[in-house]
Amino acid sequence: MIHFDNVTKRYPGGHEGLKNASFHIEPGEMVFLTGHSGAGKSTLLKLIGLLERSTRGQVRVASRNLTRLKRRETPYHRREVGMIFQDHRLLYDRTVFDNVAIPLVVSGVGHLETGRRVRAALDKVGLLNKEKAYPITLSGGEQQRVGIARAVVSKPPVVLADEPTGNLDPTLSREIMQLFDQFNSVGVTLLIATHDLALISRMNKRILTLQNSRLIRDIAPEETIGGN
Amino acid sequence: MATKRKKATHTGQRRSLRLDIWFMRHLQVSLSSLGRLSRNPVSTLMTAAVIGIALSLPIGLHLLLNNAQQLSGNWDGAASISLFLTKETGQESATKLAARLRLQDEIEHVQLISREEALEEFRTLSGFSSVLDSLEGNPLPNVLIIEPGEKHSSPEAAEQLLGELEKIREVEFAQLDLQWVRRFQGITQIAKRAVWVLGTLLGIAVLLIVGNTIRLEIQNRHAEIEITKLIGGTNTFIRRPFLYSGFWYGLFGGIIAWLLVTLSLILLDSPVEKLAGLYGSQFGLSGVDLTTFALLLGGSSLLGLCGSWIAVGRHLSEIEPT
């Protein structure tokens, strides 16, 4: 589903966000991406979501070669990659319902269908009763779940999450991870960047580790602590 | 066969459904951008008023010019040619000549003023009746007043016609008073050109006003644009509400311009009528007709649309999610 082939990302000014990274994520896999802050986790995710383009090497998502993708095709690629951010990136002048509906409005889904799917997504993250609320009135965990509902409402095959539990306490973080596990069980490919090692060691999933912009470890689920 | 037809109607339905969705979406976006504007009525009205004032100037001048041209159209014989016939030409041949000239394409109207009529008129109007009485016989010739057709009333064409008429045997002397026609036309030309120049300048001003307003709107909605791009909104999708805003600004500006011009004409109408009355004329100002109205609104909305297009093109690409 996600192929990285000797991918290097050099930012203007010479800093290299990612050096010669190669890996392959199968469809339906759930993978954690870990490493210290500044190790290149965000860069890697941005390359998949086409927020950045690689300087060298090839990135392929599904059957798309992102290296060759034209600029005007970027939006269509992004519709197939749900993205979740540590800072949620919600629109604070719109209701929860409207926030979650954006991906559907953007791709031209009809009115009734939008309502149905937004409520289904909100139901899944347990916020159905908050659809008319404004994000600012919600707790951090709830806001994050709005962000998750928005990322999955259009049923993208790939979901990326950048430190989704960064600001949450352990209980809330576990709940969020369980949510991701549920999406994974219906076939969604997930790549989750986090530095919460304690949390992911219990999840029994593949873990990619970055250090100083290099991919230094690729641990299969059976090798993780939880797998024993 | 039946399945084929079924399939065809199915695709037809789907196409019309897609068109429905497209239309609905445009309607939705246009109304929501209208709603957004109505939430800030004061600033919206101010922007529209600036556009309206800018547009009302060239439109108002254009109307005044039209009125002036209409007024000058009332002065029939603006480029009329007087043919003074030779003394030898009698009443009968003068009538014949008049009939012959009437058949010419270039000539709209021929009026024969016989020497008797001329003398009579001269006698009553000039106040020299006693002097005329002392004269032996009538010194005045028969005169034909020629009015060129509409296509031949320009100074050049009228002059050419004059040349041809001078060659007629019975014509002693032909006269065309062109000077004031020329001057009036010159003034009208300058005024027309000035209206165009002014219109162009103020049109550019409208583009800039709308462009700047939309630029500020884009800045205010920076976060929204960024997130929409992040989620896969195409540039077309993101551009649309801004283009509609520009369109609405232009349309409202056009309506305000129309109101301003109409109001000014109403204010001017009664003094103009009074003045015309002093000259014994029925002349009254004509207002904005339907064509001008449609052109004004169409043009102003188009200007608004273009203004926002420029702003959107410049500033939307600057916003990229990180």
Side-chain angles (χ1 to χ4, degrees):
Chain A
M1 198 62 164
I2 302 172
H3 295 261
F4 268 58
D5 232 347
N6 277 315
V7 176
T8 296
K9 171 65 189 175
R10 185 181 293 119
Y11 287 101
H15 170 69
E16 286 189 326
L18 199 63
K19 288 178 195 164
N20 281 323
S22 296
F23 63 92
H24 175 204
I25 295 173
E26 294 291 336
E29 253 192 294
M30 178 163 167
V31 178
F32 286 106
L33 183 62
T34 186
H36 296 292
S37 45
K41 301 191 295 286
S42 296
T43 302
L44 196 149
L45 293 182
K46 281 177 182 174
L47 287 168
I48 301 172
L50 265 184
L51 300 178
E52 299 288 354
R53 280 172 180 261
S54 61
T55 316
R56 267 204 317 274
Q58 232 180 45
V59 182
R60 274 180 298 144
V61 176
S63 54
R64 267 200 194 95
N65 185 344
L66 301 191
T67 327
R68 292 214 203 109
L69 205 68
K70 291 193 182 79
R71 268 186 95 82
R72 58 185 169 79
E73 291 173 58
T74 307
Y76 302 100
H77 169 68
R78 286 192 187 142
R79 286 180 197 176
E80 284 171 27
V81 179
M83 285 183 265
I84 297 158
F85 304 90
Q86 183 175 5
D87 57 357
H88 325 313
R89 305 243 183 137
L90 302 176
L91 289 173
Y92 290 94
D93 58 346
R94 302 213 188 163
T95 61
V96 167
F97 181 97
D98 287 344
N99 266 287
V100 177
I102 300 173
L104 301 176
V105 174
V106 155
S107 44
V109 176
H111 197 66
L112 291 174
E113 178 73 3
T114 300
R116 204 178 59 73
R117 281 162 73 170
V118 168
R119 290 198 182 90
L122 283 175
D123 190 29
K124 203 168 281 171
V125 298
L127 286 176
L128 195 51
N129 56 338
K130 302 274 185 174
E131 62 168 286
K132 291 200 177 70
Y134 283 86
I136 206 76
T137 63
L138 304 181
S139 71
E142 285 171 327
Q143 287 189 30
Q144 189 54 283
R145 282 188 279 162
V146 175
I148 293 170
R150 187 183 67 188
V152 299
V153 72
S154 56
K155 302 203 173 114
V158 178
V159 170
L160 309 176
D162 194 359
E163 302 282 0
T165 60
N167 298 326
L168 304 180
D169 64 45
T171 322
L172 284 172
S173 301
R174 246 195 323 278
E175 278 176 29
I176 299 274
M177 285 305 165
Q178 276 161 10
L179 211 49
F180 285 144
D181 215 9
Q182 281 172 29
F183 293 136
N184 182 234
S185 64
V186 295
V188 179
T189 309
L190 284 119
L191 180 58
I192 301 155
T194 177
H195 55 249
D196 193 344
L197 291 170
L199 184 67
I200 60 174
S201 63
R202 284 193 296 271
M203 296 288 293
N204 192 23
K205 302 284 179 193
R206 182 177 164 194
I207 300 170
L208 297 173
T209 307
L210 285 166
Q211 193 177 54
N212 293 327
S213 311
R214 282 182 194 281
L215 191 61
I216 56 158
R217 258 197 305 274
D218 186 348
I219 310 171
E222 50 273 18
E223 297 168 40
T224 59
I225 302 163
N228 290 332
Chain B
M1 188 67 182
T3 41
K4 214 174 192 177
R5 198 176 306 142
K6 210 171 176 182
K7 211 172 174 181
T9 38
H10 190 63
T11 22
Q13 273 172 358
R14 257 178 53 190
R15 193 166 302 146
S16 78
L17 191 70
R18 213 177 304 150
L19 201 68
D20 276 2
I21 289 178
W22 182 87
F23 183 74
M24 280 301 291
R25 232 197 294 173
H26 268 267
L27 190 71
Q28 214 173 359
V29 174
S30 73
L31 290 181
S32 81
S33 70
L34 188 63
R36 195 176 283 275
L37 292 181
S38 71
R39 254 169 275 154
N40 296 311
V42 178
S43 66
T44 303
L45 206 66
M46 263 160 55
T47 308
V50 174
I51 296 169
I53 291 167
L55 288 175
S56 67
L57 273 168
I59 293 293
L61 281 177
H62 167 76
L63 275 182
L64 283 181
L65 203 62
N66 269 0
N67 274 304
Q69 272 181 327
Q70 239 169 52
L71 189 63
S72 79
N74 288 345
W75 297 322
D76 285 334
S80 68
I81 299 168
S82 309
L83 298 182
F84 299 90
L85 305 182
T86 51
K87 281 237 176 67
E88 296 77 42
T89 316
Q91 176 78 24
E92 200 176 321
S93 41
T95 317
K96 267 186 195 157
L97 177 63
R100 212 169 74 218
L101 288 175
R102 267 187 205 112
L103 294 178
Q104 285 196 22
D105 279 346
E106 301 94 321
I107 293 167
E108 172 87 26
H109 187 74
V110 181
Q111 191 197 350
L112 169 67
I113 300 173
S114 68
R115 16 195 327 208
E116 288 75 30
E117 281 167 2
L119 186 67
E120 200 52 44
E121 196 180 0
F122 195 54
R123 200 194 296 277
T124 49
L125 290 179
S126 68
F128 290 123
S129 54
S130 53
V131 182
L132 288 171
D133 283 340
S134 68
L135 282 173
E136 285 174 33
N138 184 351
L140 299 173
N142 286 319
V143 177
L144 294 180
I145 310 285
I146 310 281
E147 273 174 34
E150 213 171 305
K151 281 181 198 149
H152 302 270
S153 60
S154 72
E156 295 76 25
E159 210 144 19
Q160 201 186 346
L161 185 63
L162 177 75
E164 283 167 25
L165 294 173
E166 266 176 339
K167 289 180 199 138
I168 299 172
R169 191 166 44 83
E170 292 93 335
V171 176
E172 167 97 53
F173 171 62
Q175 189 186 343
L176 168 65
D177 187 12
L178 271 179
Q179 211 61 340
W180 81 266
V181 178
R182 281 235 164 96
R183 280 182 193 146
F184 185 76
Q185 280 200 341
I187 291 168
T188 326
Q189 287 302 332
I190 291 170
K192 264 187 187 165
R193 188 71 52 96
V195 168
W196 272 110
V197 170
L198 198 70
T200 311
L201 285 178
L202 290 170
I204 293 171
V206 170
L207 282 182
L208 294 178
I209 294 162
V210 175
N212 198 44
T213 311
I214 298 294
R215 182 180 65 83
L216 290 174
E217 208 178 312
I218 290 172
Q219 268 173 14
N220 284 337
R221 292 168 71 183
H222 191 286
E224 189 184 336
I225 293 167
E226 193 178 318
I227 287 170
T228 311
K229 281 195 172 182
L230 203 61
I231 279 164
T234 55
N235 280 338
T236 317
F237 177 87
I238 296 168
R239 196 186 292 140
R240 208 173 285 150
F242 295 105
L243 294 184
Y244 270 109
S245 296
F247 168 81
W248 289 123
Y249 278 127
L251 187 70
F252 294 146
I255 291 171
I256 289 176
W258 172 73
L259 284 174
L260 288 174
V261 168
T262 308
L263 203 69
S264 314
L265 284 180
I266 289 170
L267 285 175
L268 281 178
D269 201 39
S270 79
V272 165
E273 245 169 53
K274 229 175 253 171
L275 182 67
L278 290 178
Y279 283 95
S281 160
Q282 295 285 310
F283 181 76
L285 287 173
S286 52
V288 184
D289 60 1
L290 204 64
T291 322
T292 318
F293 181 66
L295 280 176
L296 170 63
L297 291 197
S300 66
S301 333
L302 197 68
L303 277 176
L305 201 63
C306 291
S308 68
W309 193 286
I310 294 167
V312 164
R314 276 177 53 92
H315 300 289
L316 221 51
S317 56
E318 286 168 10
I319 301 174
E320 276 298 330
T322 50

